[in-house]
């Protein structure tokens, strides 16, 4: 089976590379000639663990190639994936479908034999049916089907997620599409995935509802964390105790500075807007969006409060800028709100991220020094703020941290550290959903010592 993937971003590149690993011949196409040229020279356009090795292996085996020639790739393909971006539009909460429509038109012009066109991009309900129309109008003789096949991979774990998903959702409207998808996904189903067939509209909805439900959980646990700070409860214990209920489960119950990334913010906005457009009110999603937007600003206020009410003229070390660890993706990251708020309040930022610095430097400007590593960032700092929980920030040498910093204040927005350790090392430690630890007031840290030692 010959496959073309249109759009070589996080989703398209992972899709193409993983399918080539399963033995299919894949051409990954992008209109960004620079990106394709780099890939041809084996320069990775994104950071995704394990991806470069798979690319190397499959290029050597002549199963994987990169091209800007959409006409040739589509003309040869049995299956064409559309994996172009669907970023949030400028006017309302709906995604911008310019790229997807343009891709469909290009595909239509170049279809030769029977081809299954699979939409991997996240698209509003009704889009796949429109794609059928676009292709048929441009090329009335085309022999094709469309399938809606939303992607659920997580950046940072994308290869594992693509190769061993729990389920593959496929919206179809023909038996031919069903047979083709069954053949295409056979190797992944052998890994244990369930292939779930449904209509276009249901498949499209499943994607938005999945991301929105996860976003709701995060927003809720974040607000519960605020509640814990006021009441003396410990969010770590609360999340653990709640998550032990099998009806709820333990995933997506870690509090933090607010969700970000290329999916949750735009997909919740799109669901809200789609619902409004048909006269429905998904008020829980609306509340989630508002809660998450406010949360990022609130995190900057938390840092300012921890620093004694002002960061004017103070140096703040920021560790972690990407929206989560394991990726260089900055889209909608909490740092994009927290850092500007701190700068606005007069702080000087010393920042470090293991893989996000290049992108961060494009998006964050002002009184920021880009540092060599975590220890470099905290030199003479008045506060240290952990925004993204990269592994390398999990076991900092606390004695060295204390010696380097001007003031031993740590604001841990990911609850990476045990309060007991921070207290023993003489830090004023502020985290999420747990009481502050202030040197000289050890009883608070003692309260959950057992549990935190075990965590
Ligand atoms: N990033 C994720 O974690 C993730 C997860 C699940 C679903 N999705 C969805 O997958 C889609 C793609 O997301 P992404 O993060 O990979 O996007 P991305 O922005 O990283 O990549 C999109 C790529 O498509 C290319 N492109 C745009 N129009 C094109 C055209 N006409 N022809 C050829 N190439 C074209 C762009 O140059 C770009 O390289 C979106 O709909 C997104 O919502 C993303």
């Amino acid at each position: 089976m010959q496959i073309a993937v249109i759009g070589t971003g996080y989703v398209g590149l992972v899709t193409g590379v993983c399918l080539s690993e399963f033995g299919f011949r894949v051409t990954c196409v992008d209109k960004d000639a620079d990106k394709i040229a780099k890939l041809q020279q084996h320069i990775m356009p994104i950071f995704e663990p394990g991806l470069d090795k798979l690319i190397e292996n499959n290029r050597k085996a002549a199963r994987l190639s990169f091209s800007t020639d959409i006409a040739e790739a589509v003309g040869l393909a049995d299956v064409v994936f559309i994996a172009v971006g669907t970023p949030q539009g400028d006017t309302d909460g709906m995604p911008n479908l310019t790229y997807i429509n343009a891709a469909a038109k290009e595909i239509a012009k170049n279809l030769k034999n029977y081809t299954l066109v699979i939409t991997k991009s996240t698209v509003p309900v009704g889009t796949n049916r429109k794609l059928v129309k676009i292709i048929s109008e441009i090329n009335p003789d085309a022999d094709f089907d469309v399938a809606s096949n939303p992607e659920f991979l997580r950046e940072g774990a994308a290869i594992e997620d693509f190769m061993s998903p729990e389920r593959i959702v496929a919206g179809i409207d023909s038996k031919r599409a069903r047979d083709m998808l069954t053949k295409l996904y056979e190797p992944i189903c052998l890994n244990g995935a369930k292939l779930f067939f449904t209509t276009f509209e249901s498949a499209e909805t499943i994607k938005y509802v999945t991301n929105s439900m996860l976003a709701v959980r995060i927003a809720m646990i974040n607000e519960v964390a605020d509640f814990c700070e006021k009441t003396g409860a410990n969010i770590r214990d609360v999340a653990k105790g709640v998550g032990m209920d099998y009806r709820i489960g333990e995933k997506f119950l870690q509090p933090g500075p607010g969700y970000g990334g290329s999916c949750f913010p735009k997909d919740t906005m799109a669901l809200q807007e789609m619902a409004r457009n048909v006269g429905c009110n998904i008020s829980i999603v609306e509340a989630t969006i508002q809660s998450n937007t406010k949360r990022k600003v609130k995190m900057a206020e938390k840092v300012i409060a921890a620093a004694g009410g002002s960061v004017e003229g103070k140096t703040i070390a920021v560790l972690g800028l990407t929206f989560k660890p394991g990726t260089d993706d900055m889209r909608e990251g909490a740092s994009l709100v927290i850092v500007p708020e701190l700068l606005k309040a007069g702080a000087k930022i010393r920042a470090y991220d293991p893989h996000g610095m290049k992108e961060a430097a494009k998006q964050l400007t002002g009184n920021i020094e880009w540092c060599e590593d975590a220890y470099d960032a905290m030199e003479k700092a008045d506060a240290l703020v952990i925004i993204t929980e990269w592994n390398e920030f999990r076991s900092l040498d606390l004695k060295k941290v204390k010696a380097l910093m001007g003031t031993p204040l740590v604001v841990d927005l990911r609850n990476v550290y045990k309060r007991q350790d921070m207290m023993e090392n003489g830090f004023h430690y502020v985290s999420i959903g747990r009481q502050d630890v202030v040197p000289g007031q050890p009883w608070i840290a003692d309260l959950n010592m057992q549990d935190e030692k075990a965590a």
Side-chain angles (χ1 to χ4, degrees):
M1 198 184 283
Q2 180 79 38
I3 294 171
V5 182
I6 314 301
T8 308
Y10 285 87
V11 167
L13 187 56
V14 170
T15 299
V17 171
C18 290
L19 288 171
S20 70
E21 178 70 10
F22 282 120
F24 298 110
R25 279 165 295 131
V26 181
T27 305
C28 289
V29 182
D30 206 288
K31 61 176 187 174
D32 181 341
D34 185 49
K35 187 182 270 191
I36 292 300
K38 284 191 173 134
L39 279 161
Q40 284 166 342
Q41 296 160 52
H42 201 67
I43 300 168
M44 296 299 114
I46 55 168
F47 171 71
E48 181 61 43
L51 196 61
D52 54 349
K53 190 78 205 146
L54 282 187
I55 291 179
E56 191 186 339
N57 292 349
N58 286 291
R59 287 191 73 205
K60 268 190 198 145
R63 286 191 295 260
L64 177 66
S65 60
F66 299 102
S67 169
T68 51
D69 190 345
I70 188 166
E72 188 187 45
V74 170
L76 291 170
D78 305 296
V79 170
V80 176
F81 280 94
I82 304 179
V84 299
T86 49
Q88 200 176 307
D90 295 331
T91 47
D92 53 23
M94 292 298 272
N96 174 354
L97 297 182
T98 311
Y99 306 109
I100 203 133
N101 290 337
K105 286 175 191 160
E106 283 294 312
I107 291 167
K109 283 189 269 173
N110 294 293
L111 289 173
K112 297 259 172 358
N113 302 315
Y114 172 75
T115 311
L116 178 63
V117 179
I118 302 180
T119 311
K120 268 254 160 260
S121 302
T122 304
V123 291
V125 180
T127 306
N128 279 282
R129 233 166 259 293
K130 282 190 197 137
L131 293 184
V132 173
K133 211 160 158 254
I134 290 173
I135 297 172
S136 308
E137 278 172 8
I138 291 176
N139 186 348
D141 299 328
D143 187 14
F144 74 102
D145 282 300
V146 165
S148 166
N149 176 212
E151 181 52 57
F152 299 95
L153 62 78
R154 295 160 302 163
E155 289 177 18
I159 293 166
E160 169 70 14
D161 284 352
F162 188 91
M163 290 189 166
S164 306
E166 284 152 342
R167 63 10 178 149
I168 299 164
V169 172
I172 50 169
D173 72 348
S174 81
K175 181 171 179 311
R176 224 164 27 159
R178 184 187 176 113
D179 293 344
M180 196 83 162
L181 282 157
T182 305
K183 206 163 133 199
L184 173 72
Y185 282 127
E186 197 181 358
I188 300 187
C189 291
L190 287 172
N191 279 351
K194 289 192 186 73
L195 182 50
F196 175 62
F197 289 106
T198 181
T199 60
F200 287 162
E201 289 74 15
S202 298
E204 292 159 341
T205 307
I206 287 167
K207 173 66 191 174
Y208 283 106
V209 174
T210 301
N211 278 354
S212 297
M213 274 208 183
L214 294 172
V216 167
R217 274 175 82 104
I218 295 172
M220 172 142 183
I221 204 70
N222 283 341
E223 291 194 349
V224 171
D226 292 348
F227 176 74
C228 290
E229 281 173 26
K230 301 270 187 215
T231 57
N234 182 333
I235 191 65
R236 183 174 274 183
D237 293 354
V238 171
K240 210 168 173 182
V242 170
M244 281 175 191
D245 187 325
Y246 79 95
R247 295 169 304 177
I248 296 171
E250 63 185 16
K251 300 274 169 64
F252 285 80
L253 288 183
Q254 288 78 37
Y259 60 76
S262 67
C263 294
F264 287 8
K266 89 170 164 67
D267 293 351
T268 46
M269 289 290 281
L271 182 58
Q272 170 183 259
E273 197 61 26
M274 282 188 283
R276 281 182 188 159
N277 289 344
V278 292
C280 291
N281 176 14
I282 308 190
S283 62
I284 290 169
V285 174
E286 290 188 15
T288 294
I289 295 166
Q290 284 169 20
S291 168
N292 196 62
T293 305
K294 282 190 206 137
R295 183 151 191 93
K296 293 176 185 174
V297 178
K298 206 170 165 185
M299 292 300 103
E301 290 166 2
K302 194 178 176 81
V303 175
I304 294 168
S310 169
V311 289
E312 178 85 54
K314 291 186 179 165
T315 301
I316 312 289
V318 170
L319 298 189
L321 299 159
T322 52
F323 86 93
K324 67 173 192 172
T327 180
D328 56 353
D329 200 340
M330 290 286 300
R331 288 177 283 187
E332 302 284 337
S335 69
L336 295 178
V337 175
I338 297 170
V339 170
E341 286 290 323
L342 294 175
L343 288 169
K344 211 163 72 188
K348 175 187 172 189
I349 304 291
R350 290 180 65 79
Y352 171 70
D353 186 285
H355 289 279
M357 303 268 275
K358 201 168 141 212
E359 198 50 41
K362 288 186 212 157
Q363 302 198 38
L364 292 168
T365 51
N367 200 356
I368 306 174
E369 217 162 304
W370 304 102
C371 298
E372 295 285 308
D373 60 28
Y375 294 110
D376 181 27
M378 61 189 75
E379 210 155 307
K380 295 197 173 58
D382 299 295
L384 168 64
V385 184
I386 301 174
I387 298 184
T388 314
E389 71 279 32
W390 286 93
N391 279 340
E392 65 179 75
F393 304 151
R394 288 180 183 274
S395 52
L396 294 169
D397 177 342
L398 294 182
K399 290 201 170 28
K400 188 171 168 185
V401 174
K402 179 117 187 287
L404 283 169
M405 288 183 72
T407 311
L409 166 63
V410 174
V411 183
D412 180 357
L413 301 180
R414 297 287 182 174
N415 286 358
V416 169
Y417 282 92
K418 294 175 187 146
R419 295 182 308 160
Q420 182 70 11
D421 291 347
M422 284 293 173
M423 188 193 70
E424 281 169 8
N425 282 282
F427 285 96
H428 177 179
Y429 178 65
V430 177
S431 57
I432 301 277
R434 304 183 291 179
Q435 300 286 297
D436 290 4
V437 172
V438 183
Q441 294 178 16
W443 64 274
I444 293 172
D446 280 341
L447 211 60
N448 285 286
M449 209 172 102
Q450 275 318 101
D451 202 44
E452 298 213 351
K453 283 271 179 213

